[in-house]
Amino acid sequence: MEEKDLQQAWVRQALLDAERGVMECRMCREHVGLNEAVTLWRNGVLVFGVCDRCAGTHDIVMRRVDAGLEVRARPRVPLVVRSPGMTDGPHVSHR
């Protein structure tokens, strides 16, 4: 399946979900109520939606491009990834 096909499928599903008052966050993929989301509609079609949680922790920038809408998101705080069982910060060895 090409990206265009995936986008069209997402739009169809998004419209069906919106009729029920829910949507899938484009970032975390959680289903949330429309009252818990920031949405962008164009000509009656839901083109982008993000839950309040993701919107609150990311800077989201949208702009028009020839192909449609470009959306970029950047976390507001660094993401710290730790391996299972690690209780303190990363270990750095100095030789």
Side-chain angles (χ1 to χ4, degrees), residues 79-95:
L79 175 65
V80 177
V81 179
R82 295 191 173 145
S83 61
M86 182 182 270
T87 57
D88 54 352
H91 296 282
V92 178
S93 61
H94 299 278
R95 294 180 190 211

Side-chain angles (χ1 to χ4, degrees), residues 1 4 13 18 21 42-43 50 52-53 62-63 68 75-76 84 86 88-90 95:
M1 199 177 248
K4 181 180 177 183
Q13 185 62 51
R42 187 170 177 99
N43 299 326
V50 63
D52 288 344
R53 184 178 64 106
M62 298 178 214
R63 70 180 181 118
R76 290 192 179 134
M86 182 182 270
D88 54 352
R95 294 180 190 211

Side-chain angles (χ1 to χ4, degrees), residues 39-51:
T39 57
L40 176 65
W41 298 77
R42 187 170 177 99
N43 299 326
V45 176
L46 179 62
V47 294
F48 182 77
V50 63
C51 70

Side-chain angles (χ1 to χ4, degrees), residues 52-80:
D52 288 344
R53 184 178 64 106
C54 288
T57 59
H58 290 78
D59 292 320
I60 301 170
V61 178
M62 298 178 214
R63 70 180 181 118
R64 284 194 53 150
V65 294
D66 291 338
L69 180 71
E70 176 185 56
V71 180
R72 294 180 182 259
R74 184 179 60 201
R76 290 192 179 134
V77 296
L79 175 65
V80 177

